[in-house]
Amino acid sequence: MIIIGEKINGSIPSVADAIARRDADFIKQRAVATFIDCCASVPEAQEVETLRWMIDCIQSVTDLPISVDSPSTKVLSEAYKFCNKPGLFNSVSGEGHKMDAIFPIMAENPGWQVIALLSDDT
């Protein structure tokens, strides 16, 4: 069984506040699970840089793999590079060309996994 601790997510008000204040201690305290879900929930223009900061915080206190979480394949295709080891792409759906963008990255980077959603443009 894979357990993903999804408490480092900018859609949670207390986490959004910690992200805005760059409260590394708050982020680090939530980094306990099989995979650490990392979702910034900030505007896309800031998302890659914010995820980099968050991933660095998480990796400074745990060696658990990161579940890089964004609805943007553009963000996912950059943010996974900050991870010290393979993790999860969370979440990739059949909408648009999301699978076409992420699956080749996974093929070139062994060990990466994906949470694939069974939704498409219809």
Side-chain angles (χ1 to χ4, degrees):
M1 174 176 11
I2 294 175
I3 299 170
I4 298 175
E6 195 162 340
K7 294 294 185 182
I8 304 173
N9 185 321
S11 68
I12 299 169
S14 60
V15 177
D17 180 60
I19 292 168
R21 292 182 294 105
R22 292 296 198 251
D23 184 348
D25 289 334
F26 183 92
I27 300 297
K28 291 175 186 179
Q29 289 172 2
R30 289 185 167 230
V32 180
T34 305
F35 280 82
I36 303 298
D37 187 73
C38 187
C39 178
S41 293
V42 297
E44 190 172 346
Q46 302 165 5
E47 197 171 11
V48 171
E49 183 277 325
T50 302
L51 284 170
R52 180 180 200 147
W53 173 80
M54 293 172 71
I55 290 168
D56 287 346
C57 286
I58 294 163
Q59 291 180 144
S60 76
V61 296
T62 185
D63 65 349
L64 291 172
I66 306 288
S67 171
V68 184
D69 192 349
S70 173
S72 167
T73 56
K74 225 165 113 176
V75 170
L76 290 174
S77 67
E78 291 300 316
Y80 87 96
K81 297 174 187 175
F82 308 131
C83 297
N84 293 336
K85 63 176 158 187
L88 279 170
F89 289 100
N90 183 10
S91 308
V92 178
S93 71
E95 298 168 310
H97 299 289
K98 290 182 177 188
M99 289 181 183
D100 295 334
I102 298 302
F103 288 3
I105 293 171
M106 292 176 63
E108 294 172 10
N109 295 277
W112 277 88
Q113 298 179 55
V114 66
I115 296 174
L117 303 177
L118 301 177
S119 56
D120 61 19
D121 292 324
T122 60

